[in-house]
Amino acid sequence: EQAALHQRLGELALDAGQGKEALASLERAASLGAEAPKDRALLAEALLRHAQEPMRAEVLLREALAAHPDRARWRALLGWALLKRSVYEEALTVLEAAAQARAEDPEVLLWLGEAQLADGQMDGARESWRRALGLTRDQALRAQLQRKLAQVPGP
């Protein structure tokens, strides 16, 4: 019961952008036995967003996906973890599949563009970022996408 409470608090903090609090609650939930695939995926997302621990996040996401391979959001997070670890070829493959399943998710398109750029696909990267820009109203994400587009030469 305590694990579930900490898990929920962590999820709420993560949604509110309170990284330190999210990470602390999710780590506490894990220490109390929260081991469901969703628990692992949430902790992995917090690790990616707020702790810069892509290797640990990758392990947790692979475990979660072993139980639920159809979860496109988790697959996208795995792609992001691989991207952060500079495992570009696998990141690109994972993110291409995630972008097909989540074509309206601007964050997935952001990460796909980064993987495409790492693979030398400048046109593909620009297209992914333009699509993402058209899908989001989030000002911070829009600014990030506009910076990326300005840095990559092309039409």
Side-chain angles (χ1 to χ4, degrees), residues 110 129 133 139-152:
L110 166 69
W129 293 333
L133 200 53
Q139 292 304 313
L141 182 54
R142 290 184 64 78
Q144 184 179 10
L145 290 161
Q146 288 166 340
R147 282 191 305 275
K148 289 189 175 297
L149 284 165
Q151 292 171 351
V152 178

Side-chain angles (χ1 to χ4, degrees), residues 2 18 34-36 38 45 49 51 53 55 74 89 109 112-116 130 135 139 143 147 150 154:
Q2 277 198 355
Q18 299 172 335
E35 295 182 3
K38 180 182 178 187
E45 184 171 359
R49 291 192 187 284
E53 291 191 44
M55 187 171 292
W74 299 354
E89 189 173 325
L109 293 170
L112 174 60
E114 291 174 357
Q116 290 167 319
R130 283 189 192 114
L135 292 169
Q139 292 304 313
R147 282 191 305 275

Side-chain angles (χ1 to χ4, degrees), residues 17-149:
Q18 299 172 335
K20 186 177 179 181
E21 294 82 0
L23 204 47
S25 289
L26 293 169
E27 290 280 18
R28 181 71 177 136
S31 74
L32 292 169
E35 295 182 3
K38 180 182 178 187
D39 302 336
R40 293 177 184 281
L42 279 171
L43 178 54
E45 184 171 359
L47 290 167
L48 287 168
R49 291 192 187 284
H50 304 291
Q52 302 302 315
E53 291 191 44
M55 187 171 292
R56 186 169 167 217
E58 178 188 347
V59 169
L60 291 167
L61 288 162
R62 288 189 188 280
E63 290 170 355
L65 283 164
H68 296 283
D70 57 327
R71 299 290 171 94
R73 175 68 182 165
W74 299 354
R75 192 155 305 284
L77 289 168
L78 174 61
W80 188 29
L82 292 165
L83 191 62
K84 285 181 164 247
R85 290 194 50 239
S86 303
V87 184
Y88 298 122
E89 189 173 325
E90 187 179 1
L92 180 60
T93 301
V94 169
L95 288 165
E96 284 172 339
Q100 284 184 343
R102 297 182 61 90
E104 304 298 312
D105 186 331
E107 200 168 47
V108 174
L109 293 170
L110 166 69
W111 301 330
L112 174 60
E114 291 174 357
Q116 290 167 319
L117 184 62
D119 192 51
Q121 299 177 33
M122 287 190 210
D123 291 341
R126 281 192 303 273
E127 175 59 28
S128 293
W129 293 333
R130 283 189 192 114
R131 283 179 41 217
L133 200 53
L135 292 169
T136 187
R137 292 185 181 151
D138 179 294
Q139 292 304 313
L141 182 54
R142 290 184 64 78
Q144 184 179 10
L145 290 161
Q146 288 166 340
R147 282 191 305 275
K148 289 189 175 297
L149 284 165

